[in-house]
Amino acid sequence: MTETSGATVRWRKSSRSGGTNGNCVELTLGAVRDSKNPGGPHLEVSWQSLIAAVRDDHLSR
Protein backbone atom coordinates (compact mmCIF):
# COMPACT_ATOMS: atom_id res chain seq x y z
CA MET A 1 0.00 0.00 0.00
CA THR A 2 1.09 3.55 -0.58
CA GLU A 3 -0.10 6.90 0.60
CA THR A 4 -1.37 9.40 -1.97
CA SER A 5 -2.67 12.81 -0.92
CA GLY A 6 -3.22 11.60 2.63
CA ALA A 7 -5.26 8.56 1.58
CA THR A 8 -4.00 4.98 1.82
CA VAL A 9 -4.09 3.27 -1.57
CA ARG A 10 -4.01 -0.49 -2.10
CA TRP A 11 -2.48 -1.42 -5.47
CA ARG A 12 -3.51 -4.70 -7.14
CA LYS A 13 -1.41 -6.76 -9.54
CA SER A 14 -3.06 -9.22 -11.91
CA SER A 15 -2.91 -12.83 -10.76
CA ARG A 16 -2.02 -13.66 -14.37
CA SER A 17 1.09 -11.46 -14.39
CA GLY A 18 3.32 -14.32 -13.22
CA GLY A 19 6.32 -12.01 -13.00
CA THR A 20 8.16 -13.86 -15.79
CA ASN A 21 8.68 -11.02 -18.27
CA GLY A 22 8.42 -7.93 -16.06
CA ASN A 23 5.70 -6.35 -18.21
CA CYS A 24 3.19 -5.81 -15.42
CA VAL A 25 1.06 -2.95 -14.27
CA GLU A 26 -0.77 -2.50 -11.00
CA LEU A 27 -4.21 -0.97 -10.63
CA THR A 28 -6.06 0.86 -7.94
CA LEU A 29 -9.31 2.75 -8.11
CA GLY A 30 -8.61 5.42 -10.71
CA ALA A 31 -4.89 4.86 -11.31
CA VAL A 32 -2.37 2.58 -13.05
CA ARG A 33 1.38 2.26 -12.37
CA ASP A 34 4.37 0.24 -13.54
CA SER A 35 4.97 -2.56 -11.02
CA LYS A 36 8.75 -2.34 -11.61
CA ASN A 37 8.72 1.25 -10.31
CA PRO A 38 6.18 1.41 -7.47
CA GLY A 39 7.57 4.70 -6.16
CA GLY A 40 7.41 6.31 -9.58
CA PRO A 41 4.61 8.18 -11.31
CA HIS A 42 1.15 6.79 -11.90
CA LEU A 43 -1.46 7.45 -14.55
CA GLU A 44 -4.86 8.58 -13.34
CA VAL A 45 -7.68 7.06 -15.38
CA SER A 46 -11.39 6.52 -15.13
CA TRP A 47 -12.46 2.89 -15.01
CA GLN A 48 -14.89 3.50 -17.84
CA SER A 49 -12.11 4.80 -20.12
CA LEU A 50 -9.74 1.97 -19.20
CA ILE A 51 -12.34 -0.74 -19.82
CA ALA A 52 -13.37 0.87 -23.11
CA ALA A 53 -9.73 1.02 -24.28
CA VAL A 54 -9.18 -2.65 -23.45
CA ARG A 55 -12.40 -3.67 -25.17
CA ASP A 56 -11.53 -1.64 -28.26
CA ASP A 57 -7.87 -2.81 -28.19
CA HIS A 58 -6.55 0.76 -28.12
CA LEU A 59 -3.68 -0.06 -25.77
CA SER A 60 -0.22 -0.64 -27.23
CA ARG A 61 1.13 -4.13 -26.94
Side-chain angles (χ1 to χ4, degrees):
M1 287 194 271
T2 59
E3 192 172 311
T4 305
S5 302
T8 301
V9 177
R10 180 179 211 125
W11 293 91
R12 307 273 182 180
K13 190 185 301 186
S14 169
S15 60
R16 294 184 173 225
S17 66
T20 57
N21 61 11
N23 294 327
C24 303
V25 295
E26 295 175 315
L27 302 172
T28 191
L29 187 59
V32 179
R33 72 178 180 184
D34 183 348
S35 63
K36 296 182 300 296
N37 186 11
H42 63 272
L43 176 65
E44 293 184 12
V45 296
S46 73
W47 283 107
Q48 295 86 353
S49 296
L50 181 60
I51 290 169
V54 170
R55 280 190 187 140
D56 296 339
D57 197 26
H58 287 263
L59 301 176
S60 64
R61 295 175 194 232

